[in-house]
Amino acid sequence: DTGVSQDPRHKITKRGQNVTFRCDPISEHNRLYWYRQTLGQGPEFLTYFQNEAQLEKSRLLSDRFSAERPKGSFSTLEIQRTEQGDSAMYLCASSLLGISDTQYFGPGTRLTVL
Amino acid sequence: KNEVEQSPQNLTAQEGEFITINCSYSVGISALHWLQQHPGGGIVSLFMLSSGKKKHGRLIATINIQEKHSSLHITASHPRDSAVYICAVRTGGSNYKLTFGKGTLLTVNP
């Protein structure tokens, strides 16, 4: 158990619906990352936060995607108007700036868009 | 061409064999990570390297910065080592984001 939790673990939705995922990082970690992993591929960077500030967003993160980290604790990733191509595993990781850049990963949320 | 290439994509071994997984990258990096992913998604960090060699139990990771190449070795492999092994690089800057290879699926048969 790495200490990073994600909810839900699985989500099945119909195309066009909105979905929201939550990530709770290790409590003292100030950096939080979202990655997306499709079948047979390595994870791809989506966005990251340092405390509550969203400092970088990948071009993969279209305007249907939004992420927040209010108060610098948990984070949410919302996908609006889901498409079948959004089906993937969404991974969250956290790390502690200044100590090491070891990222601790959560178990992921597997999204299936029908 | 991906910035991070791994080989082989799939590897099957008999218990006890010595395993090598290779990673090549095409960009300047500040660190390279080896990670392990079991079925169901959980990813665990095994090593972070910026030079030389690291060892942890039966796992050894090496990196050659000049050749932009790293290897992960597993000695005396065991069926519980079966997993996907992923190489990832940090390309510098302040964001610490990782760029991942596609992974190597290792199956160790008893």
Side-chain angles (χ1 to χ4, degrees), chain A residues 2 9 31 33 35 37 40-45 48 50 56 89 91 97 100-103 105-107, chain B residues 2 30-31 33 35 37 40-45 48 86 90 94-103:
Chain A
T2 64
R9 295 290 305 276
R31 289 201 164 188
Y33 301 80
Y35 297 95
Q37 185 177 26
Q41 303 294 316
E44 295 174 294
F45 170 78
Y48 96 103
Q50 183 167 313
E56 185 171 344
M89 176 76 84
L91 293 161
L97 175 64
S100 121
D101 67 345
T102 298
Q103 293 184 23
F105 285 81
Chain B
N2 291 335
S30 56
H33 296 251
L35 308 120
Q37 185 172 30
I43 293 178
V44 175
S45 181
M48 191 272 286
I86 304 174
R90 176 158 67 89
S94 60
N95 60 28
Y96 286 44
K97 71 179 181 183
L98 297 175
T99 302
F100 295 80
K102 292 185 178 181

Side-chain angles (χ1 to χ4, degrees), chain A residues 2-37:
Chain A
T2 64
V4 179
S5 61
Q6 291 186 245
D7 183 70
R9 295 290 305 276
H10 303 272
K11 179 70 177 178
I12 300 173
T13 192
K14 292 184 179 178
R15 190 176 52 184
Q17 298 295 304
N18 298 344
V19 294
T20 299
F21 309 142
R22 176 178 170 127
C23 170
D24 286 88
I26 293 172
S27 58
E28 66 269 24
H29 283 187
N30 47 17
R31 289 201 164 188
L32 186 148
Y33 301 80
W34 284 99
Y35 297 95
R36 181 173 69 186
Q37 185 177 26

Side-chain angles (χ1 to χ4, degrees), chain B residues 14-15 17 20 22 27 30 33 39 41 54 61 66 72 76 80 83 87-88 91 94-95 98-99 104 108:
Chain B
Q14 289 300 121
E15 183 173 357
E17 286 184 1
T20 296
N22 295 299
V27 295
S30 56
H33 296 251
K54 285 191 176 179
Q66 287 73 30
L72 176 69
R80 65 174 174 266
C87 171
T91 53
S94 60
N95 60 28
L98 297 175
T99 302
T104 295
V108 182

Side-chain angles (χ1 to χ4, degrees), chain A residues 36-91:
Chain A
R36 181 173 69 186
Q37 185 177 26
T38 53
L39 200 60
Q41 303 294 316
E44 295 174 294
F45 170 78
L46 293 179
T47 188
Y48 96 103
F49 293 83
Q50 183 167 313
N51 300 312
E52 66 276 8
Q54 186 175 18
L55 297 185
E56 185 171 344
K57 291 167 52 172
S58 163
R59 58 183 169 77
L60 294 175
L61 215 64
S62 76
D63 56 8
R64 295 185 298 106
F65 288 71
S66 62
E68 294 181 341
R69 192 183 182 199
K71 302 178 185 177
S73 56
F74 71 92
S75 176
T76 58
L77 178 68
E78 181 183 15
I79 309 174
Q80 297 183 325
R81 305 181 303 281
T82 52
E83 301 173 356
Q84 287 185 324
D86 297 331
S87 296
M89 176 76 84
Y90 290 84
L91 293 161

